Amino acid sequence: MLDDRDHLLLTLLQDDADRPVAELAERTALSPSACSRRIQRLRDEGYVLRRVALVDRARINLPTTIFVIVKTSQHESGWLEEFRAAVNAVPEIVEVHRLTGNFDYILKLVLPHVEHYDVVYKRLVGRVSLFEMSAYISMETVKSQTALPTRYA
């Protein structure tokens, strides 16, 4: 069970995981050693999965976002494993979600430019059979955040 300090620690760590323990301790009204133990417990219990660096997409020439809607006529386990392997083999595909409704999957791609979509498309369809694919170019990112609300734990 998480308490208010744990929730605050998770929020602060999501904002900047490189914050010094002394600062985290001060913000949570804990001693540095108690704060460090709590952070370790949150890791041990699986609340903190890993620490990562967020990279500026524009600086590394990946400013374009394309969402691809996929329909498939196949749902057997062999095809699902092929699909998982295919999307995992394409680094430009950064998210894949299985959906309810009229479509089976939505893929999020990050690309240097729109024309590069054809390269990714050919790599994907060369690895797995798909019934239908429709691409949608993101014109603007209205909201993008990595931090999750912590009050539900």
Side-chain angles (χ1 to χ4, degrees):
M1 186 79 176
L2 299 182
D3 64 18
D4 288 342
R5 288 180 175 153
D6 293 326
H7 291 288
L8 180 55
L9 270 174
L10 288 172
T11 299
L12 293 169
L13 288 169
Q14 287 185 96
D15 181 55
D16 183 358
D18 283 337
R19 281 193 176 146
V21 172
E23 181 184 338
L24 294 169
E26 184 179 322
R27 298 274 307 267
T28 56
L30 292 167
S31 70
S33 60
C35 184
S36 183
R37 284 192 302 273
R38 277 186 186 245
I39 293 169
Q40 188 59 51
R41 180 180 54 79
L42 292 169
R43 286 186 182 128
D44 293 344
E45 292 178 3
Y47 291 99
V48 176
L49 300 176
R50 65 182 189 263
R51 291 172 55 156
V52 299
L54 299 178
V55 177
D56 185 320
R57 287 178 41 196
R59 301 254 338 190
I60 62 167
N61 195 34
L62 290 172
T64 304
T65 303
I66 295 182
F67 294 94
V68 178
I69 301 290
V70 173
K71 280 186 178 183
T72 181
S73 58
Q74 303 179 50
H75 298 280
E76 64 275 355
S77 63
W79 181 90
L80 290 171
E81 290 308 313
E82 275 184 49
F83 179 73
R84 286 178 197 273
V87 297
N88 282 316
V90 181
E92 294 90 346
I93 301 173
V94 295
E95 287 186 42
V96 178
H97 300 268
R98 191 164 52 92
L99 306 174
T100 62
N102 296 329
F103 306 105
D104 295 305
Y105 297 92
I106 186 168
L107 289 58
K108 179 181 177 182
L109 285 66
V110 294
L111 304 170
H113 46 76
V114 172
E115 293 82 7
H116 192 74
Y117 172 67
D118 191 48
V119 173
V120 174
Y121 171 84
K122 288 175 182 172
R123 272 193 290 177
L124 189 57
V125 298
R127 292 188 60 128
V128 67
S129 173
L130 300 171
F131 178 71
E132 183 180 321
M133 289 176 62
S134 300
Y136 300 88
I137 301 165
S138 173
M139 300 296 291
E140 174 187 16
T141 301
V142 177
K143 179 179 180 180
S144 176
Q145 69 181 52
T146 59
L148 302 172
T150 63
R151 287 288 172 186
Y152 296 99

